[in-house]
Amino acid sequence: MKLIFTYLLSTIIFSYLPFLAQAQVNNDCVGTRDRLVCGNQTFSDNSDGPGRNDFQPAANNQGCLSNGENQSAWYQIKIQTSGTLTFVIAPTVSSDYDFAVYGPNVSCSALGNPRRCSYALTSGNTGLSLTANDVSEGGGGDGFVRYMDVIAGQTYFIIVDNFSNNNQGFSFTWGGTALLAAIKAEFSFTRSCNGVSMNNRSSSCEGDIEYLWNFGDGSPITATNSIENPTHYYSQTGLYTITLTSTIVSSGPNNGQVDVVTLPVTISQVPPVSSIVNLEDEYCINDSPVTLTGSPSGGVFTVFSNGSTTGTMITSFNPASLGVGSHIVQYRYTDPSNTNCKGDAFQTVIVKELPTLSFVDLEANYCQDAATFTLQASPAGGTFTVDGDNATQFDVATLGTGTHQVIYSYTDPSTDCSNEITQEIVINAPPEITINGLRDLYCISGNDFALQASPNGGIFTIDGNVATQFSPSALGLGTYEVIYSYTDPATSCSNTETKIVEVVTAPEINFVGIPTQICKNDSPVTLNATPVGGTFAIDGNSATQFDPTNLTAGDHVIQYDYADPDDASCSNSAILTVRVYRNPII
């Protein structure tokens, strides 16, 4: 219920008095039903007309107000804390104000006699006083009558009447030890079969009102428990106590103020007992949906999830769509022989989350030379498979290059919910590398050679020292280990290639397959020597073969001249003497 404030400014006090939006002004007692004076705060108001005759019903006695209503204003108060109650009505300008107090706990149609009443012919202040002794006074009174002893929970009506009829306002100030409530919880109900429909008459001096109903039968909290005028269906006969808790929700000083009221209700007729047939109390969130069945059949299912007061009609319970948490499932069955009889069955269902799993120190990529390692995951205690086979280790060498699937499965012993996680792992081959153009032999006088390899981007070392070129003169005579190391940026896998290179004074020449003695009638011999690529001469004449048939008997000199094709300064010569023998004369 939305309540609105009216603020009135007087020359003495600025305060407020709330009233119901679009309701009639408070010239009549019934205009106070849905509002209270806002606690013990001083307020200002004006009585500007008589309204209807509130004393017309026979049960409403005007008491000392012998002239009835002139310009009247009605107010309702509720006692929050027991004690003494006084008040002062102070006219804004000189005016004859009278008042009467009715109660406790009466209605506008049956006010009875006033508990306090003043009709004094005074143009000053009037009210209840701790020092006055009379409880009612006529025109000759001094304007003040005796205070009231009030009890928490009581409600009273107060009429303030401007006998002067001058449309001038007044301020209203409270006194005594009693405290007034800013909210009043109040309701009645009607009963049909086992259904009890609430008529909520709670009122507040400000803000909105939140409601919480307890129907006294142990039913769980659902949307029905927080609406203004719910209807509740009882499943068993008996005497129940209905409790309404009303709370102010506002940005004002009375935010959170609460009032509680209870009423008994007797249930003497109920429909057939309804029940939910096939629903478990707990599910894992990945369990399959359950088609709901109720008894007797033909009812309607509603679910209230995780404390929500908004229900959703369902035909199946789907853990995945409802989510982790507590869900109240309601089954409502309507008796076809008496549609006023409705049976409710409730079941609280817990949807449990799956265990959260993670691999421990498992990479997405490994190189082919990686060592075998033990598979680990959190929480521990589950099982691993690699490419569908049970495993405890990841053996890179056995698996080989390519993509492999690792699955970890785990069941939480506290919830009995299972989960699994999957990771694709790629085993990468090492990069293929080649050292380009580097020869096995260099002369110490040879030129420097820029070190190159493919793919490029790696690092060369010569005998462990980082280098970018092979410099024979700087290195000196000897044998050197040239290593090229490369890491593939795409896979982080590495590889190396090694080449042994010798630095010499001059190329060492070795004749290959040439005899030092040969008969004149022997077949020609192809001239070969290392390193290859040089030129041969026999007795000063260029040749590629040693043909004894074309040579005279005796010694002949074979000379081999070699020059490095990439470095002409790196050259050498060698000679070999071959003796040709005459054929024997037979």
Side-chain angles (χ1 to χ4, degrees):
M1 190 188 321
K2 184 69 177 175
L3 299 177
I4 305 175
F5 295 97
T6 295
Y7 292 88
L8 297 174
L9 179 64
S10 76
T11 56
I12 302 175
I13 299 174
F14 177 73
S15 186
Y16 62 90
L17 179 71
F19 63 93
L20 184 66
Q22 299 181 347
Q24 59 185 343
V25 294
N26 62 328
N27 298 126
D28 300 318
C29 178
V30 294
T32 69
R33 189 193 73 180
D34 293 320
R35 71 175 187 274
L36 297 174
V37 172
C38 206
N40 290 66
Q41 301 177 66
T42 297
F43 65 88
S44 298
D45 202 5
N46 184 27
S47 52
D48 58 0
R52 73 179 188 178
N53 185 1
D54 289 287
F55 300 125
Q56 187 174 20
N60 293 354
N61 192 327
Q62 65 191 39
C64 73
L65 304 180
S66 57
N67 197 40
E69 295 184 74
N70 298 281
Q71 290 182 346
S72 60
W74 287 84
Y75 306 99
Q76 184 180 186
I77 63 172
K78 179 174 182 178
I79 306 304
Q80 179 175 312
T81 304
S82 303
T84 59
L85 180 68
T86 67
F87 57 76
V88 175
I89 301 169
T92 303
V93 298
S94 180
S95 303
D96 183 3
Y97 271 97
D98 305 313
F99 72 89
V101 182
Y102 293 88
N105 306 329
V106 295
S107 66
C108 287
S109 60
L111 292 171
N113 296 318
R115 293 288 304 274
R116 298 289 187 270
C117 190
S118 174
Y119 195 62
L121 295 174
T122 176
S123 58
N125 295 349
T126 185
L128 303 183
S129 167
L130 291 173
T131 57
N133 293 315
D134 51 342
V135 297
S136 179
E137 61 183 11
D142 62 356
F144 285 90
V145 294
R146 181 180 173 83
Y147 67 93
M148 295 172 59
D149 290 306
V150 293
I151 299 173
Q154 292 178 334
T155 58
Y156 293 89
F157 291 101
I158 301 173
I159 178 177
V160 178
D161 188 74
N162 185 349
F163 183 77
S164 300
N165 284 293
N166 58 6
N167 291 318
Q168 297 298 316
F170 60 90
S171 65
F172 202 113
T173 303
W174 302 97
T177 60
L179 297 179
L180 305 185
I183 186 170
K184 177 180 69 173
E186 183 179 11
F187 73 97
S188 60
F189 61 80
T190 57
R191 184 179 63 246
S192 179
C193 188
N194 68 321
V196 179
S197 298
M198 311 303 168
N199 178 23
N200 192 341
R201 298 197 302 270
S202 296
S203 57
S204 166
C205 73
E206 65 169 311
D208 296 327
I209 301 178
E210 285 186 350
Y211 306 105
L212 180 62
W213 296 88
N214 185 326
F215 304 112
D217 60 350
S219 57
I221 301 298
T222 66
T224 305
N225 298 75
S226 62
I227 63 177
E228 185 175 353
N229 293 301
T231 297
H232 183 70
Y233 295 92
Y234 290 85
S235 60
Q236 296 181 351
T237 59
L239 176 64
Y240 299 93
T241 298
I242 302 173
T243 302
L244 169 62
T245 301
S246 298
T247 305
I248 292 178
V249 180
S250 77
S251 57
N254 295 295
N255 179 53
Q257 191 171 137
V258 174
D259 194 29
V260 181
V261 63
T262 61
L263 286 178
V265 60
T266 299
I267 304 299
S268 56
Q269 181 184 3
V270 293
V273 175
S274 59
S275 62
I276 300 172
V277 175
N278 62 331
L279 195 60
E280 303 292 337
D281 291 334
E282 293 184 341
Y283 290 93
C284 298
I285 195 169
N286 62 343
D287 285 340
S288 301
V290 178
T291 300
L292 295 171
T293 302
S295 178
S297 61
V300 176
F301 285 93
T302 304
V303 64
F304 303 89
S305 297
N306 292 321
S308 171
T309 56
T310 301
T312 302
M313 292 183 61
I314 57 173
T315 57
S316 66
F317 188 91
N318 187 345
S321 61
L322 292 171
V324 172
S326 177
H327 308 275
I328 297 174
V329 178
Q330 176 194 55
Y331 178 66
R332 174 163 290 178
Y333 170 76
T334 301
D335 190 341
S337 63
N338 182 354
T339 56
N340 290 322
C341 291
K342 301 179 186 293
D344 285 340
F346 295 93
Q347 184 172 341
T348 299
V349 182
I350 304 299
V351 175
K352 300 172 292 184
E353 65 182 351
L354 304 183
T356 300
L357 311 181
S358 61
F359 289 106
V360 176
D361 296 331
L362 188 62
E363 305 293 336
N365 293 273
Y366 287 92
C367 297
Q368 195 173 15
D369 58 353
T372 299
F373 59 89
T374 300
L375 292 168
Q376 299 180 68
S378 176
T383 59
F384 290 92
T385 63
V386 178
D387 295 340
D389 299 322
N390 290 333
T392 59
Q393 291 186 320
F394 193 84
D395 189 343
V396 178
T398 301
L399 290 170
T401 60
T403 300
H404 304 275
Q405 185 182 67
V406 179
I407 298 177
Y408 179 65
S409 303
Y410 175 80
T411 299
D412 189 334
S414 64
T415 65
D416 205 32
C417 290
S418 300
N419 197 7
E420 68 177 29
I421 52 175
T422 301
Q423 184 166 323
E424 301 287 340
I425 297 178
V426 177
I427 298 178
N428 298 291
E432 294 184 4
I433 60 177
T434 303
I435 297 176
N436 300 324
L438 185 63
R439 302 193 307 277
D440 298 330
L441 189 70
Y442 285 89
C443 290
I444 194 168
S445 61
N447 298 325
D448 293 347
F449 177 77
L451 295 171
Q452 299 176 20
S454 59
N456 60 18
I459 297 175
F460 279 95
T461 62
I462 299 175
D463 287 353
N465 300 310
V466 176
T468 60
Q469 62 181 7
F470 190 90
S471 178
S473 61
L475 290 169
L477 299 174
T479 300
Y480 298 93
E481 184 181 60
V482 179
I483 298 176
Y484 179 65
S485 302
Y486 174 78
T487 299
D488 188 336
T491 64
S492 297
C493 294
S494 301
N495 201 0
T496 62
E497 184 173 347
T498 301
K499 188 174 182 65
I500 303 300
V501 181
E502 185 179 4
V503 177
V504 296
T505 57
E508 180 181 347
I509 296 176
N510 294 294
F511 291 96
V512 178
I514 302 175
T516 58
Q517 293 180 350
I518 190 167
C519 293
K520 187 173 177 54
N521 62 347
D522 285 343
S523 299
V525 176
T526 300
L527 298 174
N528 288 306
T530 59
V532 298
T535 59
F536 287 92
I538 300 175
D539 298 333
N541 299 309
S542 295
T544 59
Q545 287 184 329
F546 190 91
D547 186 355
T549 61
N550 293 327
L551 297 173
T552 61
D555 292 333
H556 298 274
V557 176
I558 299 174
Q559 181 173 324
Y560 180 68
D561 297 315
Y562 172 82
D564 191 327
D566 297 314
D567 185 1
S569 66
C570 186
S571 61
N572 200 3
S573 294
I575 60 172
L576 176 67
T577 299
V578 178
R579 178 165 291 181
V580 177
Y581 291 96
R582 289 188 180 92
N583 294 327
I585 298 175
I586 299 175

